[in-house]
Amino acid sequence: MDLTTRHPELDLDHLHGGLTPGQRFQNVSFASYLPNAEYPSQAEAQGTLGQFVASLEAPAVAVSPLKKLFGRKLAAPEGRGIYLDGGFGVGKTHLLASAYHAASTTIPSAFMSFQDLMYLIGALGMTRALDAMRGLQLLCIDEFELDDPGNTHMANTFLGDLMPLGLNVIATSNTEPGRLGEGRFNSRDFERQIQAIAGRFQNLRLDGPDYRQRGSTPEQPLSAEEYAVWRGRQAPETLAELAYPQLQGVLLSVHPARFGRLLSGVEALGLRELVPMPSQNDALRFVHFVDKVYDLGGQPAFSGAPLETLFDETYRHGAFAKKYARCLSRVSELLREARAAS
C-alpha cells in the first residue's frame, strides 16, 4: 500500500460517524485498568471516574405541570466536567476509553482527540459544529491542549455553549487545567478564557511512572536484519512501507486530523531510515502521526537513528516536552511489540 499516493479528502460523515476509541482501546474497561499500588491517585481516579459515569443518566421523561400548559420540557441540568491530568504512560487514555464504553450503552456519547474536535469545528464552523454535537450527553476528549489563541477561543466557545445545556465532558491532558497554553503562546492575554475552561472541570491528578517502561529499558529501532524478518512476516496487501523522508512529504500535505483516513486499511506500517528532525514543525507532525498509529492499534516497525536522537534537546525540554516524551514512550512500546511479533 503506497501512502505517498493517498490524498484523503474532508469527509465529515466519516469523522462524525467514527467518534469512538481506536482499535488499541476498543476493548478496555475500568476493570482492565491496573493502577500502580505505589501511587494511590491512580486507583482514586479510577473509582471517581467510574462513579461519575454511573451517575450519568438518560434524560428524564417526567415533565413539570408547566409543560402541560406550555409544551416545554424541563431544562437539562448543567453538564459536569472531569479533567484527567498526569504524565504520559499512567493510563489516562485507557480510563477515558473505559468511560466512553461504560456510558455509550445508555446515553449518547462520543470519543475524539482534541485535534479532531478543533478540526470538526474549523470544517463545519462553530454554529454547525454545535448543532452536530448538541444531542450528546457525554464527550470524551483525549489530549486536551491549548496550543494557540485560535483553539483557546474555539474551545471556550464550544464548552461554554454546550455544557450549560447538559453536555458532560471528560478530558485528558499532560497539563494542569489552569496552566493550559503556558509556554505555547502569550497565554496571559487569554487568561480569562483559559480560567473559564479550567473552571468547568473537576481536576483528577494521576501520578506515577510510565507503565510502558516498568521493569524494562526503552527499545531502539530495529536493525536491518530484524526489520527484514518483520517485513517478511507481514501480509503484502495490508503493508505500507516508506522511508522517513517520504513520510515527511506525506505529512506536509495531509492535515493531522486526516491521518486516520490516510492509514485506512493499513495493518502493518514499516517506517525506515528514521533521522533526527531539525524542524520542530516536522517533529510535531511526526508526534501526531505516531499518536494516530498507536491509537489505531496497527503493527508498525521502525528502523534508523536511535530514539533519543530524533528530537532536538531544546524541543524535549521546551513547551512541548511532554508530547515528545509520550511519543518516544509509545514508539518504544510499538518497537517492543514488533520484536515480539518477529
Side-chain angles (χ1 to χ4, degrees):
M1 306 179 76
D2 187 358
L3 298 188
T4 64
T5 63
R6 291 189 168 190
H7 306 285
E9 297 297 326
L10 176 67
D11 186 341
L12 295 176
D13 290 337
H14 181 274
L15 181 61
H16 193 230
L19 302 183
T20 61
Q23 186 61 38
R24 183 172 293 270
F25 298 101
Q26 198 59 249
N27 299 309
V28 300
S29 66
F30 287 127
S32 67
Y33 178 75
L34 303 177
N36 188 329
E38 296 180 11
Y39 297 88
S41 61
Q42 294 187 15
E44 292 169 5
Q46 179 186 30
T48 300
L49 198 58
Q51 293 171 5
F52 177 82
V53 172
S55 72
L56 303 179
E57 298 178 355
V61 295
V63 297
S64 70
L66 290 177
K67 184 190 174 188
K68 298 178 181 178
L69 293 175
F70 301 104
R72 295 179 181 175
K73 296 180 181 179
L74 286 170
E78 182 163 349
R80 295 170 290 155
I82 293 284
Y83 189 99
L84 300 178
D85 163 41
F88 54 90
V90 294
K92 299 188 302 299
T93 304
H94 184 134
L95 287 174
L96 186 69
S98 299
Y100 168 84
H101 292 311
S104 60
T105 58
T106 57
I107 61 173
S109 306
F111 182 106
M112 64 196 312
S113 70
F114 183 73
Q115 179 79 34
D116 282 344
L117 175 60
M118 294 297 100
Y119 178 52
L120 185 69
I121 295 173
L124 289 176
M126 183 61 73
T127 300
R128 290 177 61 201
L130 290 171
D131 288 341
M133 296 292 195
R134 210 173 292 280
L136 293 176
Q137 284 185 260
L138 175 66
L139 177 60
C140 299
I141 306 175
D142 200 21
E143 301 300 341
F144 195 103
E145 191 52 87
L146 304 180
D147 291 336
D148 59 58
N151 61 32
T152 300
H153 175 72
M154 288 195 293
N156 187 45
T157 301
F158 180 84
L159 298 176
D161 188 284
L162 292 185
M163 291 187 73
L165 299 179
L167 176 67
N168 300 281
V169 178
I170 305 173
T172 71
S173 181
N174 298 129
T175 307
E176 295 175 16
R179 302 180 66 179
L180 286 163
E182 196 170 276
R184 315 291 177 81
F185 60 98
N186 189 6
S187 58
R188 186 169 297 179
D189 291 345
F190 296 85
E191 186 172 350
R192 182 178 299 177
Q193 294 191 42
I194 292 171
Q195 293 307 317
I197 293 170
R200 299 185 182 280
F201 292 92
Q202 173 191 351
N203 189 30
L204 295 182
R205 173 74 187 177
L206 277 75
D207 299 304
D210 181 0
Y211 79 91
R212 302 182 190 98
Q213 308 301 340
R214 288 181 192 172
S216 65
T217 57
E219 295 288 327
Q220 289 297 338
L222 304 184
S223 67
E225 293 77 13
E226 289 175 315
Y227 183 86
V229 173
W230 175 88
R231 186 184 187 281
R233 297 194 174 183
Q234 309 309 316
E237 62 272 15
T238 57
L239 169 65
E241 190 178 21
L242 69 172
Y244 173 72
Q246 292 175 299
L247 176 67
Q248 187 179 36
V250 172
L251 300 188
L252 279 169
S253 64
V254 178
H255 190 283
R258 303 184 195 180
F259 288 171
R261 287 184 61 76
L262 175 72
L263 294 164
S264 176
V266 176
E267 294 184 7
L269 172 69
L271 183 56
R272 310 183 313 271
E273 302 173 26
L274 282 176
V275 295
M277 304 173 196
S279 163
Q280 178 145 235
N281 287 333
D282 291 340
L284 287 173
R285 288 189 191 95
F286 181 77
V287 167
H288 284 305
F289 183 71
V290 168
D291 283 342
K292 184 57 67 175
V293 170
Y294 184 85
D295 290 343
L296 291 176
Q299 299 176 359
F302 306 83
S303 69
L307 296 191
E308 64 271 14
T309 68
L310 297 183
F311 306 129
D312 188 271
E313 191 76 11
T314 58
Y315 303 163
R316 292 191 288 117
H317 294 89
F320 299 100
K322 291 181 179 178
K323 285 181 180 286
Y324 293 120
R326 182 185 73 241
C327 178
L328 293 175
S329 172
R330 288 181 166 182
V331 171
S332 179
E333 180 181 0
L334 294 171
L335 282 166
R336 189 173 296 116
E337 293 174 358
R339 281 196 167 92
S342 61

